[in-house]
Amino acid sequence: MFRGGIAKPILPDEAKKTLQPMKHSPIRPDIQFLRGIAILAVLIYHAELIPLSGGYLGVDVFFVISGYLITSIILRDLSSHQFSFLKFYVRRAQRLLPAAYCTLIFVTLLSFKILTKSQWDDFIKQLIGTATFTANIVLPFQTGYFETTAVQKPLLHTWSLSVEEQYYLFIPLMLFVIRPKWHFTALVTSALLSLLICIIFVSYPFSYWRFSAIDSETAAFFMLPTRAWEMLAGSILAWLMAHISHFKLPTLARFLAFFLICFLCVFPIDSVHPRENAILVVIATAIIIAGNSHWLPQNRITLAIEKIGDWSYSLYLIHWPLFALSRNAYLGETPKYIKFLLVCISIVLAYLQYKYVEQRFRYGWQANKTKTFKWLVAATCIVIIAPMAGTVIRELNNSVKLDYMRTPNFGLKEACAAGKVFSNQKECETTDQPLYAVWGDSYSMHLIPGLKQEKTIGNSMIQVTKAACAPILGVASIDSNYNETWAQGCLEFNDKAINFIQNSQSIKYVIMGSPYSGYFDYGNLTLFFGGKKINGDRSIAVKQMVTTIERLQAFGKQPILVAPPPGAGFNIGECWERKNAGLLVLGRSDCNFLIEEYHSYQSGIIDGLNEVRSRTNVDVVWFDKIICKDGVCQTSLADGTSIYKDGGHLTVSGSEWTVPNLGLATLIK
């Protein structure tokens, strides 16, 4: 990404001999300025140092620039009958691979000492996807770009590079095969078709599309057919400028377009991407590029941003892995001063890579082709061999068995975790006439191993669970992982669940568990309530929880609320895994935490459950008395086994130890 198909400039013979890079960019300065603005927007967005909620739109700016530059080169070579697929792809390799391979080697070495086993396994897949230009196909099956877990994936950002590389395979073939007089028609038709598919996918999402297990919104974000219209917009502009002499737009229009991009980066107008924001940014970028560069004043500020634009490819490659790996090492949120330091390090490394890798390989190709080829072969071998060697070394040194932490806890059966109890009832119950219903999300599922140890309950229960769906009627929490479509499904599941429970003659007790984050937290919450997405507060969820409890009580059922285990905002399970595996842990000397940290981090949840208890007289069971003593919450058993699987879920061992000690059976009335 953040480069375009730029023809190699003709250098003086002296420069060729010394392999010195050009001091000035061969690209129009306004395009380099625009690149600088785009990469700074992405960098600030990822650093999260200052609010820039639409900074990700910098990627859309680069898509347009890449489409424009690469198509300009292809059209120029086609018109002069000098186009060659071999030369085209050699130039692409010469331009992109050295910096990419250098970054991949650097990131692999860092990842070896930072990533856990499961993270390392994911990283290998990301690495293969990046090296084969299929990262945009690999990554959606691991995570969505805006999901919480995405911020810990070192090569997440390479999805956009793969989209562009795939476009570079598609666009020259298209322009070569189609007759020149049909080029414009083909480009416009392709752009409109791609945009139409994109809008349908994001505006009318469906959970599973025919050929994949990823939802339509995720597909629209990652895949070439739904992002090609952005690059095709640049290609259309390239055709217009090649066929219409003195093609340009008024300077005022360009300034307005520039300010529109800046405004949308700060105040995006659409919560779904790519849609309105992307369309406006693409149009604005095309307006700025149209014509010549005379509109942009040359001063110290613009020249500095242009220089950042020169480094933009390397800066894009380097910055994200540093942020992602720091989040892994810090077990969550990276301190602000470290983020600022990483921004500075990213810029310095980008400059060094631009000067000593990008420019050397780019302009030294013709002068010493053999040497350059050997370097690329060596780098390719390292990219392939290094992760394989790392995997072998990690396995040989793996003296501590941590499989128990990676064992998924679905409760009784995996089908029961996905809300399929009503079609798989026999698999989700321990008797034909269960006395207890365990209702909720994964924080209800993780109680099951411990409840099975409590024979009174374990031998007479049914699991009524759906992942991430709290047992609260009429309201669902929405975030980057779960949209309105999912929320509607959650509400429908809960309606079925409470109807099933209240109509059951055998069920007398309802054990309800959830983390309740996104429902009871203080501050502004995004909720699905009243059939629509709203910005509300915890009072809505508390009221609906009270309604849920009262309805169960009205039908003679006894609800028992199980609070989530104490947490302090970091991944406790991963902390123990890192400590035991000798991996880097920053920010914490111990995987235990003070009870004050727990009370501060979960204050909204604690207050919310206490409010529900006071209004309904329902029993609330807390893990504090078991886990927290003398002001410290202990997160492992005496033998070193972690109680926690992650930041809040219990391991199977942790559940079997803690849950029987909660005294649930003593609450039966």
Side-chain angles (χ1 to χ4, degrees), residues 604-619:
I605 297 166
I606 295 170
D607 292 347
L609 289 173
N610 282 329
E611 184 176 349
V612 171
R613 183 193 60 184
S614 66
R615 293 171 61 177
T616 62
N617 199 34
V618 69
D619 290 310

Side-chain angles (χ1 to χ4, degrees), residues 196-214:
L196 178 62
I197 296 173
C198 179
I199 291 176
I200 291 174
F201 272 43
V202 298
S203 300
Y204 308 98
F206 36 101
S207 298
Y208 297 95
W209 53 311
R210 184 176 178 183
F211 302 108
S212 174
I214 60 175

Side-chain angles (χ1 to χ4, degrees), residues 508-522:
K508 302 298 181 184
Y509 309 100
V510 185
I511 299 171
M512 303 164 69
S514 174
Y516 299 108
S517 55
Y519 293 88
F520 292 168
D521 285 334
Y522 286 112

Side-chain angles (χ1 to χ4, degrees), residues 3 12 21 43 61-62 80 153 209 254 307 314 331 444 465 483 490 528 553 626 668:
R3 66 270 176 204
L43 181 62
V61 172
F62 273 103
S80 60
K153 295 188 178 295
W209 53 311
R254 299 191 192 187
K307 186 59 65 176
S314 282
L331 302 169
S444 287
T465 58
N483 57 23
C490 174
F528 188 79
Q553 292 171 335
I626 302 169
I668 304 307

Side-chain angles (χ1 to χ4, degrees), residues 376-669:
L376 284 177
V377 171
T380 303
C381 292
I382 294 174
V383 169
I384 295 172
I385 295 173
M388 296 172 59
T391 301
V392 173
I393 293 172
R394 290 167 72 104
E395 289 297 326
L396 291 175
N397 293 335
N398 186 18
S399 58
V400 180
K401 298 302 180 182
L402 299 170
D403 291 341
Y404 76 95
M405 295 185 64
R406 305 185 189 102
T407 303
N409 188 356
F410 299 117
L412 296 176
K413 295 286 185 178
E414 184 174 355
C416 310
K420 297 180 179 179
V421 59
F422 309 114
S423 58
N424 295 272
Q425 185 171 335
K426 292 296 182 183
E427 293 188 355
C428 301
E429 60 187 13
T430 57
T431 182
D432 291 338
Q433 297 294 319
L435 187 62
Y436 302 86
V438 182
W439 179 23
D441 49 34
S442 57
Y443 277 66
S444 287
M445 300 175 205
H446 76 177
L447 301 174
I448 299 294
L451 292 174
K452 290 167 70 176
Q453 301 295 311
E454 180 70 63
K455 299 301 183 183
T456 304
I457 300 175
N459 291 336
S460 185
M461 66 179 178
I462 183 168
Q463 179 181 338
V464 185
T465 58
K466 181 179 175 64
C469 185
I472 306 177
L473 299 177
V475 64
S477 175
I478 295 177
D479 57 24
S480 57
N481 300 338
Y482 301 101
N483 57 23
E484 294 96 319
T485 303
W486 173 88
Q488 184 62 51
C490 174
L491 297 188
E492 291 173 358
F493 170 80
N494 280 334
D495 286 338
K496 289 181 180 179
I498 198 165
N499 287 330
F500 173 81
I501 292 169
Q502 70 185 31
N503 292 329
S504 170
Q505 297 298 316
S506 64
I507 295 174
K508 302 298 181 184
Y509 309 100
V510 185
I511 299 171
M512 303 164 69
S514 174
Y516 299 108
S517 55
Y519 293 88
F520 292 168
D521 285 334
Y522 286 112
N524 195 36
L525 303 174
T526 304
L527 303 171
F528 188 79
F529 181 65
K532 60 183 179 180
K533 177 180 177 181
I534 65 168
N535 291 321
D537 59 38
R538 61 196 301 276
S539 64
I540 297 173
V542 170
K543 178 182 177 181
Q544 293 303 119
M545 188 79 208
V546 170
T547 300
T548 305
I549 298 297
E550 290 176 342
R551 181 170 169 182
L552 288 170
Q553 292 171 335
F555 280 88
K557 313 298 181 180
Q558 181 185 336
I560 301 173
L561 301 187
V562 180
F570 69 97
N571 192 320
I572 303 163
E574 186 179 321
C575 179
W576 282 113
E577 183 174 359
R578 289 181 175 282
K579 291 283 188 182
N580 292 330
L583 299 174
L584 183 65
V585 177
L586 298 176
R588 300 199 70 90
S589 59
D590 196 347
C591 299
N592 301 323
F593 52 90
L594 298 176
I595 197 167
E596 287 84 358
E597 293 181 81
Y598 153 52
H599 287 161
S600 174
Y601 179 66
Q602 293 185 329
S603 61
I605 297 166
I606 295 170
D607 292 347
L609 289 173
N610 282 329
E611 184 176 349
V612 171
R613 183 193 60 184
S614 66
R615 293 171 61 177
T616 62
N617 199 34
V618 69
D619 290 310
V620 180
V621 180
W622 307 86
F623 285 87
D624 308 26
K625 61 182 180 181
I626 302 169
I627 294 177
C628 303
K629 295 180 180 179
D630 300 324
V632 177
C633 296
Q634 301 290 335
T635 58
S636 67
L637 303 178
D639 62 357
T641 301
S642 176
I643 296 172
Y644 289 77
K645 181 178 176 61
D646 46 38
H649 292 97
L650 300 172
T651 59
V652 172
S653 300
S655 177
E656 290 174 343
W657 181 74
T658 58
V659 174
N661 291 315
L662 289 175
L664 290 172
T666 65
L667 299 175
I668 304 307
K669 300 175 183 178

